[in-house]
Amino acid sequence: MRYGYGGKLLRINLSTDKIESKDLPDKLVKEYIGGRGFTARILYDELKPGIDPLGPDNKVVVASGPLAGLFVPGAGKLTFAAKSPATNSYGDSNVGGMLAAEIKFAGYDTIIIEGQAKKPSYIYINNDKVEIRDAGKHWGKGAITAERALKDELGEEFQIAVIGPAGENRVKFACISHDFGRQAGRTGIGAVLGSKNLKAIAVRGSKSIKLSDPKGLLKLTKQAIADCQKHPAIQMWLNQGTASVTVWSNEQGSFPTRNFQSGYFKDYQKISGDVMQKETIVTNKACFGCPMACGKYARVRKDGKDYYVEGPEYETAALIGGDCAVGNITDLTYANWLCDELGLDTISGGSVAAFAMECFEKGIIGKKDTDGMELKFGDIKSFEWLMNKIARREGIGGVLAEGVKVAAQKFDKGAEKFAMQIKGLEISGYESRKAPAMLLAYMTCDIGAHHNRAWAITHDIAVGRDKIEGKAKRVIELQHIRPLFDMLGCCRLQWVELELSLEYYPKFLKVTTGMDYTFDELLKSSERVWNLTRLFLIRENKDFGRQFDYPPPRVYEEPVQNGPTKGSMVKKEDIDKLLDEYYALRGWDKTGKPTNAKLKELSL
Ligand code: SF4
């Protein structure tokens, strides 16, 4: 018996219909803990280099962690991973809600999905009963609509992961939706499910998770929840969730605006958390076991119709609100709903729309490319038109569905300079020309330019926003601490925002699994995963070098246009200085490759 874990690894081949369940391997558990540790190791070992991310040889690996589904604050996190169609390298994305817990209650920690179904299908898991079922009648439905339909069909107690039309049409920033508004949004794993003809995964579990020390867990949990509840910031999180960051980000000049031309959006007050609290939020939503409940279920009425959606979260406000200049809460909430229903990541979706709007403004594309539609910043009709075209890959939507990197190569005429991506993934919600640590975090993030591996902008503010030297150390620390939560299967926000002590986590692991780790040993495991995903990137790219870590030219050629960071830019030589320091501290060579000594140290 394995304490704390579901205990089984479930493998489902959609080409052959073969389904098998095995015990979790000891070495995998010991060295990789769970969640993204499992997904990275399995994908590195099982995928042949050079495979097509949207072909049958790719695999989607779903993994919870040892703390998921337990009474640990925020213990509802699940990782979806595959070779990403956006970056052509390792990609993963994390989703909250109830699914991680349900998978463990069904007795599994990891599900490996292989092959390609001959017709639209979904995976049905009810404890030990696992089937590949026909999803013909759900194919083509929006993600929210399909989740409702599957729950009506199977029962409210089933937890569902589902894709929308964007995933079916292999849009490279298609997400996976769960719990009517939570998404595994980044790196296009929804498109990989679509390429496998897999509409959904429906899970019901009713087993218990065996614990090493149940009384010890209860005691620790009571303390941890009390610590969270007495923190002064909790009320703000309960009131507004991540939307509370919108005002702060504008005051810092870090709110991406008009395709990152600026870091300040003049209408930010109209899309703030305060406005949501007054006008749109209906109720709070929490992931399994979370006392913070950062999810905000909202309603808006637009053109005579009610739209219900979880959000908009900060990142959606940043990339659709600021970056596309959509400056009112009704339009922004509707845009959030539209992306959720179509199954599009709001971060990349917003960034792609902003890029298209700027291309139109500069005459790089014109009405002949858009069926006569004029694309304008601040115009919800433009946004709506773009998302619908992209999700169905119609006309210019087929080009934009590839993401800004590929679209810029196709449009040419200088568009690559303001295609705001790194490694093929669109940059998330922080303008970082006056935040070198945040910029470095984007440049070196293992899945492309995503904020959640190292939210380093607060470090820039604390130690000096123009300072270059010394920034790499903190970025690396964060890149080990924050992804560790994804390995454990729980949320990082209790630590980040409510200052829950990191000392809790090895103790949680001990009372649940019986495994003894110091926090430093857990960090070493996280560093092992970081280096493994780097090896994946190197293996996939014969021309690999430090150019893979460079930001787009807008960052070092164009100053911020207005707001508190007006005039800021990071010089090209400073970008190299940031990388030199980062590589040296990581034990990587000057081209960004881990040295043999580092790999040996990490048992890789
Ligand atoms: Fe989920 Fe938010 Fe709680 Fe994290 S803080 S577990 S994302 S509800």
Side-chain angles (χ1 to χ4, degrees):
M1 183 186 9
R2 192 180 290 286
Y3 291 121
Y5 289 83
K8 297 277 181 195
L9 188 153
L10 180 65
R11 189 180 293 272
I12 300 166
N13 190 306
L14 298 169
S15 297
T16 61
D17 292 350
K18 189 174 172 195
I19 295 167
E20 58 177 347
S21 155
K22 284 191 175 159
D23 289 344
L24 274 182
D26 286 340
K27 191 169 155 58
L28 186 70
V29 172
K30 193 163 170 287
E31 293 184 358
Y32 293 90
I33 312 292
R36 97 177 201 108
F38 284 4
T39 57
R41 185 73 251 182
I42 291 168
L43 289 169
Y44 189 88
D45 289 345
E46 297 195 9
L47 293 188
K48 281 197 201 111
I51 59 150
D52 175 3
L54 297 177
D57 293 334
N58 201 0
K59 301 186 186 195
V60 174
V61 184
V62 189
S64 71
L67 301 187
L70 301 174
F71 291 119
V72 169
K77 290 291 186 172
L78 184 71
T79 298
F80 282 86
K83 181 175 177 183
S84 161
T87 65
N88 270 312
S89 184
Y90 172 82
D92 71 28
S93 197
N94 199 272
V95 66
M98 307 293 160
L99 189 58
E102 203 69 33
I103 289 173
K104 280 182 78 171
F105 300 156
Y108 310 103
D109 303 285
T110 303
I111 305 168
I112 303 174
I113 303 165
E114 306 174 330
Q116 194 169 49
K118 287 176 196 69
K119 57 181 185 183
S121 305
Y122 76 93
I123 291 171
Y124 171 93
I125 300 173
N126 188 348
N127 292 312
D128 299 333
K129 186 173 175 185
V130 181
E131 295 172 356
I132 301 164
R133 292 187 170 183
D134 188 283
K137 67 180 171 190
H138 300 300
W139 201 254
K141 282 181 185 156
I144 300 170
T145 306
E147 183 168 5
R148 182 70 266 151
L150 280 160
K151 278 196 173 247
D152 288 346
E153 189 177 313
L154 302 173
E156 207 60 50
E157 65 277 20
F158 275 79
Q159 297 300 334
I160 316 279
V162 62
I163 60 168
E168 295 173 13
N169 293 320
R170 307 176 185 197
V171 175
K172 292 189 176 172
F173 44 96
C175 64
I176 300 166
S177 299
H178 161 58
D179 199 23
F180 304 103
R182 295 231 161 232
Q183 283 85 21
R186 308 240 65 198
T187 72
I189 316 291
V192 184
L193 286 188
S195 74
K196 296 188 174 305
N197 267 325
L198 194 69
K199 180 73 179 175
I201 305 165
V203 186
R204 171 67 179 138
S206 57
K207 299 178 187 175
S208 54
I209 301 167
K210 304 284 183 294
L211 298 173
S212 168
D213 176 5
K215 284 192 182 142
L217 177 61
L218 196 60
K219 191 168 164 225
L220 268 182
T221 298
K222 280 183 177 170
Q223 277 170 10
I225 288 180
D227 287 355
C228 289
Q229 286 175 331
K230 71 179 180 222
H231 195 283
I234 195 167
Q235 198 53 48
M236 190 213 22
W237 281 84
L238 289 168
N239 289 344
Q240 300 185 0
T242 60
S244 58
V245 179
T246 300
V247 169
W248 175 86
S249 184
N250 275 282
E251 287 168 352
Q252 299 301 328
S254 61
F255 198 64
T257 300
R258 292 178 178 256
N259 197 31
F260 286 82
Q261 293 180 73
S262 168
Y264 177 83
F265 181 41
K266 66 177 176 43
D267 290 329
Y268 74 94
Q269 298 283 11
K270 296 180 188 165
I271 54 169
S272 68
D274 283 349
V275 169
M276 282 176 61
Q277 204 179 331
K278 275 195 214 104
E279 295 180 16
T280 63
I281 295 171
V282 177
T283 188
N284 286 351
K285 274 182 77 187
C287 304
F288 186 91
C290 178
M292 280 172 81
C294 80
K296 302 296 144 213
Y297 202 61
R299 179 189 59 203
V300 289
R301 191 161 182 82
K302 186 171 166 58
D303 303 330
K305 202 176 155 197
D306 284 333
Y307 294 93
Y308 289 85
V309 66
E310 186 172 336
E313 285 197 66
Y314 168 75
E315 289 292 330
T316 307
L319 273 305
I320 300 178
D323 221 28
C324 297
V326 173
N328 77 74
I329 198 64
T330 301
D331 285 348
L332 178 61
T333 310
Y334 166 72
N336 192 160
W337 174 86
L338 181 66
C339 288
D340 287 6
E341 181 71 340
L342 293 171
L344 289 164
D345 172 28
T346 55
I347 298 177
S348 286
S351 185
V352 169
F355 169 77
M357 288 167 184
E358 187 171 351
C359 284
F360 197 95
E361 205 172 68
K362 289 188 155 65
I364 293 172
I365 55 173
K367 283 188 178 175
K368 63 179 182 346
D369 304 301
T370 60
D371 307 332
M373 180 77 188
E374 192 178 351
L375 300 180
K376 287 184 293 193
F377 281 110
D379 175 29
I380 188 64
K381 291 276 174 221
S382 299
F383 184 85
E384 185 182 43
W385 185 88
L386 280 163
M387 292 304 111
N388 279 307
K389 290 286 173 191
I390 289 168
R392 296 179 177 86
R393 281 187 175 270
E394 289 169 0
I396 199 168
V399 180
L400 294 167
E402 297 291 304
V404 297
K405 182 181 177 186
V406 175
Q409 285 161 359
K410 295 212 165 132
F411 295 163
D412 201 13
K413 299 179 188 164
E416 280 181 78
K417 290 196 169 191
F418 56 87
M420 302 308 288
Q421 57 77 34
I422 299 170
K423 299 184 182 72
L425 190 73
E426 289 75 18
I427 301 174
S428 51
Y430 296 92
E431 157 52 51
S432 51
R433 275 171 284 185
K434 201 176 172 60
M438 192 69 233
L439 178 63
L440 182 64
Y442 280 135
M443 287 158 53
T444 56
C445 177
D446 64 340
I447 56 164
H450 192 40
H451 62 287
N452 82 351
R453 299 289 204 255
W455 191 60
I457 191 164
T458 50
H459 181 66
D460 285 305
I461 293 165
V463 303
R465 295 187 66 166
D466 293 319
K467 206 166 168 267
I468 299 292
E469 288 78 18
K471 293 279 169 86
K473 182 169 179 287
R474 183 60 181 158
V475 170
I476 293 170
E477 279 167 10
L478 289 171
Q479 286 176 340
H480 294 164
I481 298 172
R482 293 174 68 102
L484 178 60
F485 289 91
D486 299 338
M487 296 163 69
L488 293 169
C490 60
C491 181
R492 62 181 69 80
L493 289 181
Q494 291 74 25
W495 163 64
V496 178
E497 304 295 345
L498 304 182
E499 299 174 283
L500 188 65
S501 170
L502 290 173
E503 287 174 13
Y504 272 113
Y505 292 90
K507 291 181 191 163
F508 279 137
L509 200 57
K510 171 75 178 160
V511 293
T512 54
T513 66
M515 300 192 308
D516 254 321
Y517 287 88
T518 63
F519 192 71
D520 283 346
E521 286 167 337
L522 290 176
L523 288 185
K524 203 40 121 184
S525 185
S526 187
E527 184 183 2
R528 180 178 297 123
V529 177
W530 195 269
N531 279 266
L532 185 63
T533 55
R534 188 73 171 182
L535 294 179
F536 199 121
L537 177 71
I538 295 164
R539 186 171 82 169
E540 292 294 334
N541 293 284
K542 288 198 175 65
D543 58 342
F544 180 81
R546 65 163 55 205
Q547 74 277 11
F548 279 74
D549 292 330
Y550 283 147
R554 170 155 282 165
V555 172
Y556 50 86
E557 288 182 359
E558 287 180 40
V560 177
Q561 287 184 358
N562 59 27
T565 51
K566 184 176 175 181
S568 300
M569 222 165 61
V570 182
K571 288 184 281 193
K572 189 77 185 293
E573 63 257 37
D574 286 340
I575 284 167
D576 276 315
K577 268 192 210 160
L578 286 165
L579 285 178
D580 286 341
E581 190 180 42
Y582 178 90
Y583 293 162
L585 284 171
R586 274 222 168 273
W588 294 357
D589 68 18
K590 290 227 174 267
T591 67
K593 290 180 182 165
T595 58
N596 285 337
K598 175 51 75 178
L599 296 181
K600 203 169 164 204
E601 177 197 317
L602 295 170
S603 313
L604 279 170

